[in-house]
Amino acid sequence: QVQLVESGGGLVQPGGSMRLSCAASASIFSVYVMGWYRQAPGKQRELVATIRSSGATNYADSVKGRFTISGDNVKNTVYLQMNSLKPEDTAVYYCNAGLSTFSYWGQGTQVTVSA
């Protein structure tokens, strides 16, 4: 089955930048909607950004203008570039590959924004 592995998380200072990567085990971008979700302590998992094979993207209002989702079909990897990070961005970030009937999830990577 499709496996997704996130990397790039860690500790970063407010105002800093970080790039997350999601490596897929197969070429799936042509049929799956790829996305990044996050879950902060005590909160529901929320959508951060999505990207389709057409290149169309969608962002949560809270990250629009600061985060950028992109993909590399050759490397089977989806990225999330995060700039101007805020403490409220602290969460476990999850990669998702979805279809209408099911989806695959990565294990998540912790992003902590703190001075």
Side-chain angles (χ1 to χ4, degrees):
Q1 302 299 314
V2 174
Q3 295 181 8
L4 304 173
V5 181
E6 302 96 335
S7 63
L11 176 65
V12 63
Q13 296 185 9
S17 298
M18 180 175 285
R19 188 181 73 164
L20 304 182
S21 298
C22 172
S25 61
S27 298
I28 60 174
F29 295 173
S30 63
V31 295
Y32 284 81
V33 175
M34 304 301 298
W36 284 97
Y37 290 72
R38 68 185 182 185
Q39 186 166 24
K43 297 184 178 181
Q44 296 182 329
R45 186 173 298 186
E46 65 176 352
L47 173 68
V48 175
T50 61
I51 186 168
R52 298 174 182 271
S53 59
S54 65
T57 58
N58 186 42
Y59 298 91
D61 288 341
S62 61
V63 307
K64 195 170 186 178
R66 299 188 298 121
F67 291 11
T68 302
I69 187 171
S70 62
D72 186 331
N73 266 14
V74 175
K75 296 182 178 180
N76 295 323
T77 301
V78 175
Y79 304 96
L80 184 67
Q81 178 66 47
M82 305 183 293
N83 299 324
S84 301
L85 284 162
K86 306 174 181 179
E88 49 263 47
D89 293 319
T90 295
V92 176
Y93 283 70
Y94 298 90
C95 181
N96 173 268
L99 293 175
S100 61
T101 57
F102 67 92
S103 64
Y104 294 97
W105 291 91
Q107 294 297 308
T109 184
Q110 177 71 49
V111 173
T112 301
V113 185
S114 176

